[in-house]
Short mmCIF file of all heavy atoms in Angstrom, two decimals:
data_model
loop_
_atom_site.label_atom_id
_atom_site.label_comp_id
_atom_site.label_asym_id
_atom_site.label_seq_id
_atom_site.Cartn_x
_atom_site.Cartn_y
_atom_site.Cartn_z
N GLN A 259 128.31 119.65 200.68
CA GLN A 259 127.16 118.87 200.24
C GLN A 259 127.67 117.69 199.42
O GLN A 259 127.35 116.58 199.70
CB GLN A 259 126.18 119.72 199.46
CG GLN A 259 124.78 119.16 199.49
CD GLN A 259 124.55 117.94 198.77
OE1 GLN A 259 124.98 117.75 197.61
NE2 GLN A 259 123.92 116.94 199.40
N HIS A 260 128.45 117.96 198.34
CA HIS A 260 129.08 116.90 197.67
C HIS A 260 130.08 117.50 196.64
O HIS A 260 130.04 118.70 196.34
CB HIS A 260 128.08 115.96 196.89
CG HIS A 260 127.46 116.61 195.74
ND1 HIS A 260 126.25 117.33 195.84
CD2 HIS A 260 127.71 116.60 194.40
CE1 HIS A 260 125.92 117.75 194.64
NE2 HIS A 260 126.75 117.33 193.75
N VAL A 261 130.97 116.65 196.14
CA VAL A 261 131.85 117.00 195.09
C VAL A 261 131.47 116.06 193.90
O VAL A 261 131.21 114.93 194.10
CB VAL A 261 133.31 116.77 195.45
CG1 VAL A 261 134.29 116.89 194.29
CG2 VAL A 261 133.74 117.69 196.57
N CYS A 262 131.44 116.65 192.73
CA CYS A 262 131.06 115.89 191.58
C CYS A 262 132.25 115.55 190.67
O CYS A 262 132.97 116.50 190.28
CB CYS A 262 129.98 116.62 190.73
SG CYS A 262 129.37 115.69 189.36
N MET A 263 132.51 114.30 190.37
CA MET A 263 133.57 113.85 189.51
C MET A 263 132.94 113.40 188.18
O MET A 263 131.85 112.84 188.16
CB MET A 263 134.28 112.68 190.11
CG MET A 263 134.76 112.87 191.58
SD MET A 263 136.00 114.15 191.78
CE MET A 263 137.43 113.28 191.22
N THR A 264 133.61 113.71 187.05
CA THR A 264 133.04 113.32 185.78
C THR A 264 133.59 112.00 185.27
O THR A 264 134.78 111.64 185.55
CB THR A 264 133.35 114.40 184.71
OG1 THR A 264 134.74 114.53 184.56
CG2 THR A 264 132.71 115.75 185.07
N ALA A 265 132.77 111.32 184.55
CA ALA A 265 133.18 110.10 183.82
C ALA A 265 133.07 110.44 182.31
O ALA A 265 132.12 111.13 181.94
CB ALA A 265 132.24 108.95 184.20
N THR A 266 133.97 109.90 181.53
CA THR A 266 133.96 110.23 180.12
C THR A 266 132.87 109.50 179.33
O THR A 266 132.45 110.00 178.24
CB THR A 266 135.33 109.96 179.45
OG1 THR A 266 135.68 108.64 179.68
CG2 THR A 266 136.40 110.91 180.08
N THR A 267 132.42 108.40 179.82
CA THR A 267 131.37 107.61 179.18
C THR A 267 130.44 107.03 180.18
O THR A 267 130.74 106.96 181.35
CB THR A 267 131.96 106.39 178.34
OG1 THR A 267 132.53 105.50 179.27
CG2 THR A 267 132.99 106.88 177.31
N ALA A 268 129.26 106.60 179.74
CA ALA A 268 128.32 105.93 180.62
C ALA A 268 128.90 104.61 181.13
O ALA A 268 128.66 104.30 182.32
CB ALA A 268 127.01 105.69 179.92
N ALA A 269 129.65 103.94 180.35
CA ALA A 269 130.28 102.72 180.76
C ALA A 269 131.30 102.98 181.86
O ALA A 269 131.42 102.20 182.85
CB ALA A 269 130.96 101.98 179.63
N GLU A 270 132.08 104.04 181.72
CA GLU A 270 133.06 104.40 182.79
C GLU A 270 132.32 104.76 184.07
O GLU A 270 132.76 104.38 185.19
CB GLU A 270 133.91 105.55 182.31
CG GLU A 270 134.98 105.93 183.34
CD GLU A 270 135.82 107.11 182.90
OE1 GLU A 270 135.39 108.27 183.11
OE2 GLU A 270 136.88 106.89 182.29
N LEU A 271 131.19 105.44 183.97
CA LEU A 271 130.41 105.72 185.16
C LEU A 271 130.03 104.45 185.91
O LEU A 271 130.16 104.35 187.11
CB LEU A 271 129.10 106.47 184.76
CG LEU A 271 128.23 106.96 185.90
CD1 LEU A 271 128.90 108.05 186.72
CD2 LEU A 271 126.92 107.50 185.36
N GLN A 272 129.58 103.46 185.16
CA GLN A 272 129.25 102.13 185.78
C GLN A 272 130.48 101.54 186.45
O GLN A 272 130.41 100.91 187.49
CB GLN A 272 128.66 101.21 184.73
CG GLN A 272 128.22 99.87 185.29
CD GLN A 272 127.08 99.94 186.24
OE1 GLN A 272 126.05 100.54 185.98
NE2 GLN A 272 127.26 99.39 187.47
N GLU A 273 131.64 101.64 185.71
CA GLU A 273 132.86 101.10 186.31
C GLU A 273 133.22 101.75 187.67
O GLU A 273 133.69 101.07 188.60
CB GLU A 273 134.03 101.33 185.34
CG GLU A 273 133.98 100.40 184.10
CD GLU A 273 135.08 100.70 183.09
OE1 GLU A 273 136.22 100.97 183.57
OE2 GLU A 273 134.80 100.65 181.91
N TRP A 274 133.00 103.09 187.83
CA TRP A 274 133.27 103.73 189.09
C TRP A 274 132.37 103.14 190.17
O TRP A 274 132.79 102.88 191.30
CB TRP A 274 133.05 105.22 188.99
CG TRP A 274 134.17 106.00 188.38
CD1 TRP A 274 134.16 106.67 187.17
CD2 TRP A 274 135.47 106.17 188.89
NE1 TRP A 274 135.34 107.21 186.91
CE2 TRP A 274 136.20 106.93 187.96
CE3 TRP A 274 136.12 105.71 190.04
CZ2 TRP A 274 137.54 107.28 188.16
CZ3 TRP A 274 137.46 106.06 190.25
CH2 TRP A 274 138.14 106.85 189.28
N ARG A 275 131.09 102.97 189.85
CA ARG A 275 130.16 102.39 190.81
C ARG A 275 130.56 100.95 191.20
O ARG A 275 130.61 100.57 192.36
CB ARG A 275 128.70 102.43 190.27
CG ARG A 275 127.68 102.09 191.28
CD ARG A 275 126.27 102.26 190.68
NE ARG A 275 125.28 101.93 191.70
CZ ARG A 275 124.94 100.70 192.09
NH1 ARG A 275 125.48 99.63 191.52
NH2 ARG A 275 123.97 100.53 193.01
N ASP A 276 130.90 100.19 190.20
CA ASP A 276 131.33 98.77 190.45
C ASP A 276 132.62 98.72 191.29
O ASP A 276 132.70 97.91 192.15
CB ASP A 276 131.57 98.04 189.10
CG ASP A 276 130.30 97.81 188.32
OD1 ASP A 276 129.15 97.97 188.84
OD2 ASP A 276 130.42 97.50 187.08
N ARG A 277 133.52 99.65 191.02
CA ARG A 277 134.77 99.68 191.78
C ARG A 277 134.48 99.95 193.26
O ARG A 277 135.06 99.30 194.18
CB ARG A 277 135.77 100.72 191.25
CG ARG A 277 137.02 100.77 192.05
CD ARG A 277 137.99 101.76 191.52
NE ARG A 277 138.51 101.39 190.20
CZ ARG A 277 139.36 102.08 189.51
NH1 ARG A 277 139.82 103.27 190.00
NH2 ARG A 277 139.78 101.72 188.37
N TRP A 278 133.61 100.88 193.54
CA TRP A 278 133.25 101.20 194.92
C TRP A 278 132.70 99.91 195.54
O TRP A 278 133.08 99.59 196.70
CB TRP A 278 132.22 102.34 194.99
CG TRP A 278 132.00 102.81 196.43
CD1 TRP A 278 132.52 103.89 196.99
CD2 TRP A 278 131.18 102.19 197.43
NE1 TRP A 278 132.14 103.99 198.29
CE2 TRP A 278 131.32 102.95 198.61
CE3 TRP A 278 130.35 101.05 197.47
CZ2 TRP A 278 130.66 102.65 199.78
CZ3 TRP A 278 129.71 100.72 198.65
CH2 TRP A 278 129.86 101.54 199.79
N GLN A 279 131.80 99.22 194.95
CA GLN A 279 131.25 98.03 195.52
C GLN A 279 132.28 96.93 195.75
O GLN A 279 132.24 96.26 196.77
CB GLN A 279 130.13 97.53 194.61
CG GLN A 279 128.91 98.54 194.65
CD GLN A 279 127.78 98.10 193.76
OE1 GLN A 279 127.97 97.78 192.55
NE2 GLN A 279 126.59 98.05 194.31
N ARG A 280 133.20 96.77 194.81
CA ARG A 280 134.28 95.78 195.00
C ARG A 280 135.11 96.10 196.19
O ARG A 280 135.49 95.25 197.03
CB ARG A 280 135.17 95.65 193.79
CG ARG A 280 134.60 94.82 192.64
CD ARG A 280 135.60 94.50 191.57
NE ARG A 280 136.28 95.63 191.02
CZ ARG A 280 135.82 96.40 190.07
NH1 ARG A 280 134.66 96.15 189.51
NH2 ARG A 280 136.54 97.42 189.61
N LEU A 281 135.51 97.36 196.33
CA LEU A 281 136.39 97.73 197.44
C LEU A 281 135.65 97.64 198.79
O LEU A 281 136.24 97.22 199.78
CB LEU A 281 136.90 99.17 197.28
CG LEU A 281 137.95 99.34 196.16
CD1 LEU A 281 138.38 100.77 196.06
CD2 LEU A 281 139.12 98.43 196.36
N PHE A 282 134.38 97.98 198.81
CA PHE A 282 133.59 97.86 200.04
C PHE A 282 133.50 96.37 200.42
O PHE A 282 133.74 95.95 201.54
CB PHE A 282 132.22 98.40 199.85
CG PHE A 282 131.40 98.30 201.12
CD1 PHE A 282 131.57 99.22 202.12
CD2 PHE A 282 130.48 97.27 201.33
CE1 PHE A 282 130.80 99.14 203.32
CE2 PHE A 282 129.72 97.15 202.46
CZ PHE A 282 129.89 98.09 203.50
N ALA A 283 133.20 95.48 199.45
CA ALA A 283 133.07 94.09 199.69
C ALA A 283 134.37 93.41 200.12
O ALA A 283 134.37 92.39 200.78
CB ALA A 283 132.47 93.39 198.42
N SER A 284 135.51 94.00 199.73
CA SER A 284 136.83 93.43 200.07
C SER A 284 137.11 93.39 201.60
O SER A 284 137.88 92.60 202.02
CB SER A 284 137.96 94.22 199.39
OG SER A 284 138.18 95.43 200.03
N GLY A 285 136.42 94.27 202.33
CA GLY A 285 136.60 94.33 203.77
C GLY A 285 137.94 94.97 204.18
O GLY A 285 138.31 94.99 205.34
N LYS A 286 138.71 95.54 203.24
CA LYS A 286 140.03 96.09 203.51
C LYS A 286 139.91 97.48 204.15
O LYS A 286 140.85 97.99 204.70
CB LYS A 286 140.84 96.22 202.27
CG LYS A 286 141.20 94.92 201.64
CD LYS A 286 142.26 95.00 200.57
CE LYS A 286 142.06 96.04 199.50
NZ LYS A 286 142.99 95.98 198.39
N PHE A 287 138.71 98.15 204.06
CA PHE A 287 138.58 99.50 204.51
C PHE A 287 137.42 99.63 205.48
O PHE A 287 136.43 98.89 205.40
CB PHE A 287 138.28 100.43 203.29
CG PHE A 287 139.28 100.28 202.21
CD1 PHE A 287 139.06 99.51 201.13
CD2 PHE A 287 140.56 100.91 202.30
CE1 PHE A 287 139.96 99.31 200.14
CE2 PHE A 287 141.48 100.72 201.29
CZ PHE A 287 141.18 99.98 200.20
N SER A 288 137.56 100.58 206.42
CA SER A 288 136.43 100.84 207.32
C SER A 288 135.79 102.13 206.80
O SER A 288 136.43 103.07 206.39
CB SER A 288 136.89 100.96 208.77
OG SER A 288 137.67 102.12 208.95
N PHE A 289 134.44 102.13 206.87
CA PHE A 289 133.65 103.25 206.36
C PHE A 289 132.84 103.91 207.46
O PHE A 289 132.18 103.22 208.24
CB PHE A 289 132.70 102.76 205.25
CG PHE A 289 133.31 102.44 203.94
CD1 PHE A 289 134.03 101.24 203.74
CD2 PHE A 289 133.26 103.31 202.92
CE1 PHE A 289 134.67 100.99 202.56
CE2 PHE A 289 133.87 103.05 201.67
CZ PHE A 289 134.56 101.87 201.52
N ALA A 290 132.91 105.22 207.59
CA ALA A 290 132.10 105.96 208.57
C ALA A 290 130.64 105.81 208.26
O ALA A 290 129.83 105.74 209.18
CB ALA A 290 132.53 107.41 208.60
N ARG A 291 130.30 105.77 206.95
CA ARG A 291 128.91 105.59 206.48
C ARG A 291 128.96 104.43 205.48
O ARG A 291 129.32 104.66 204.32
CB ARG A 291 128.37 106.81 205.83
CG ARG A 291 128.17 107.97 206.80
CD ARG A 291 127.54 109.13 206.09
NE ARG A 291 126.16 108.75 205.77
CZ ARG A 291 125.21 109.62 205.52
NH1 ARG A 291 125.48 110.95 205.59
NH2 ARG A 291 123.98 109.26 205.22
N PRO A 292 128.62 103.23 205.84
CA PRO A 292 128.72 102.09 204.98
C PRO A 292 127.49 101.93 204.02
O PRO A 292 127.13 100.86 203.61
CB PRO A 292 128.79 100.89 205.92
CG PRO A 292 128.09 101.36 207.15
CD PRO A 292 128.33 102.84 207.25
N ASP A 293 126.96 103.07 203.65
CA ASP A 293 125.80 103.08 202.72
C ASP A 293 126.33 102.72 201.34
O ASP A 293 127.32 103.31 200.87
CB ASP A 293 125.14 104.44 202.67
CG ASP A 293 124.68 104.92 204.01
OD1 ASP A 293 124.53 104.13 204.96
OD2 ASP A 293 124.40 106.13 204.13
N PRO A 294 125.59 101.92 200.60
CA PRO A 294 126.05 101.58 199.22
C PRO A 294 125.78 102.77 198.30
O PRO A 294 125.00 103.71 198.63
CB PRO A 294 125.09 100.40 198.86
CG PRO A 294 123.87 100.58 199.69
CD PRO A 294 124.37 101.21 200.98
N PRO A 295 126.44 102.77 197.15
CA PRO A 295 126.12 103.80 196.20
C PRO A 295 124.69 103.77 195.72
O PRO A 295 124.04 102.70 195.76
CB PRO A 295 127.03 103.45 194.95
CG PRO A 295 127.97 102.48 195.41
CD PRO A 295 127.36 101.79 196.64
N THR A 296 124.13 104.91 195.29
CA THR A 296 122.79 104.95 194.76
C THR A 296 122.83 104.19 193.42
O THR A 296 123.90 103.94 192.85
CB THR A 296 122.29 106.36 194.57
OG1 THR A 296 123.14 106.97 193.53
CG2 THR A 296 122.32 107.19 195.83
N GLU A 297 121.68 103.92 192.94
CA GLU A 297 121.61 103.43 191.53
C GLU A 297 121.98 104.51 190.63
O GLU A 297 121.88 105.71 190.95
CB GLU A 297 120.14 102.97 191.24
CG GLU A 297 119.69 101.76 192.09
CD GLU A 297 120.53 100.49 191.85
OE1 GLU A 297 120.88 100.23 190.71
OE2 GLU A 297 120.80 99.80 192.84
N ILE A 298 122.40 104.16 189.40
CA ILE A 298 122.66 105.19 188.40
C ILE A 298 121.30 105.64 187.85
O ILE A 298 120.51 104.82 187.46
CB ILE A 298 123.58 104.65 187.30
CG1 ILE A 298 124.93 104.34 187.88
CG2 ILE A 298 123.67 105.59 186.14
CD1 ILE A 298 125.87 103.65 186.93
N VAL A 299 121.12 106.92 187.83
CA VAL A 299 119.86 107.51 187.30
C VAL A 299 120.24 108.29 186.01
O VAL A 299 121.34 108.87 185.94
CB VAL A 299 119.11 108.39 188.29
CG1 VAL A 299 118.67 107.57 189.49
CG2 VAL A 299 119.96 109.58 188.75
N VAL A 300 119.32 108.33 185.12
CA VAL A 300 119.52 109.12 183.86
C VAL A 300 118.41 110.17 183.78
O VAL A 300 117.22 109.80 183.81
CB VAL A 300 119.49 108.18 182.61
CG1 VAL A 300 119.74 108.96 181.34
CG2 VAL A 300 120.51 107.05 182.74
N ASP A 301 118.80 111.40 183.69
CA ASP A 301 117.88 112.54 183.59
C ASP A 301 117.27 112.55 182.20
O ASP A 301 117.74 111.90 181.27
CB ASP A 301 118.57 113.84 183.85
CG ASP A 301 119.08 113.99 185.23
OD1 ASP A 301 118.60 113.21 186.16
OD2 ASP A 301 119.94 114.85 185.48
N ASP A 302 116.20 113.34 182.02
CA ASP A 302 115.53 113.47 180.73
C ASP A 302 116.50 113.93 179.63
O ASP A 302 116.28 113.55 178.46
CB ASP A 302 114.35 114.45 180.80
CG ASP A 302 113.23 113.93 181.66
OD1 ASP A 302 113.17 112.70 181.89
OD2 ASP A 302 112.40 114.74 182.11
#
């Protein structure tokens, strides 16, 4: 279903998402599912 990786801060979490988007936009990699990351959500 999925594997969950932890980020030490909320800022680091945003950096992981930004990094995915930069690498996707670079065109250097082919993706079986080119779906973008979801938005970051914050639970109650």
Side-chain angles (χ1 to χ4, degrees):
Q259 207 292 312
H260 72 273
V261 171
C262 184
M263 310 294 283
T264 60
T266 56
T267 65
E270 184 181 84
L271 184 68
Q272 183 64 54
E273 289 177 36
W274 281 114
R275 189 175 183 281
D276 293 346
R277 180 181 291 180
W278 190 98
Q279 291 178 310
R280 279 193 308 276
L281 291 180
F282 182 81
S284 76
K286 295 190 315 186
F287 308 98
S288 67
F289 285 79
R291 292 185 68 160
D293 303 344
T296 66
E297 295 298 321
I298 294 175
V299 297
V300 181
D301 296 341
D302 291 341

